[in-house]
Amino acid sequence: MIIAGPGTGKTRTLTHRLAAGVAEQGVPAEACLALTFTRRAAEEMRERLAGLLGRRAAGLTVTTSTGSG
């Protein structure tokens, strides 16, 4: 869990940790879950993960805390 103010790099930190787990440590993408508070943040994370992981990013679940993202 990361709790920090706006503009402090939370999204970058989370996306790189997830990508490293999948790409370098063999964590199955399907075993990963990222929850955000807004649909916009979830979409941004999906885009960043796709840039880092390519096709493997499709296996990650990135959604809002309400499941509507």
Side-chain angles (χ1 to χ4, degrees):
M1 176 183 285
I2 297 176
I3 300 173
T8 57
K10 295 179 299 294
T11 301
R12 183 186 187 286
T13 299
L14 286 171
T15 55
H16 280 79
R17 283 187 186 179
L18 284 167
V22 172
E24 299 167 12
Q25 299 170 3
V27 176
E30 296 78 14
C32 298
L33 169 66
L35 291 175
T36 68
F37 287 106
T38 67
R39 283 182 256 163
R40 180 177 172 208
E43 183 58 32
E44 184 175 340
M45 284 190 75
R46 283 188 211 102
E47 290 173 4
R48 290 186 187 194
L49 287 163
L52 293 168
L53 293 171
R55 291 183 186 175
R56 291 182 287 183
L60 293 157
T61 299
V62 181
T63 189
T64 64
S65 58
T66 61
S68 62

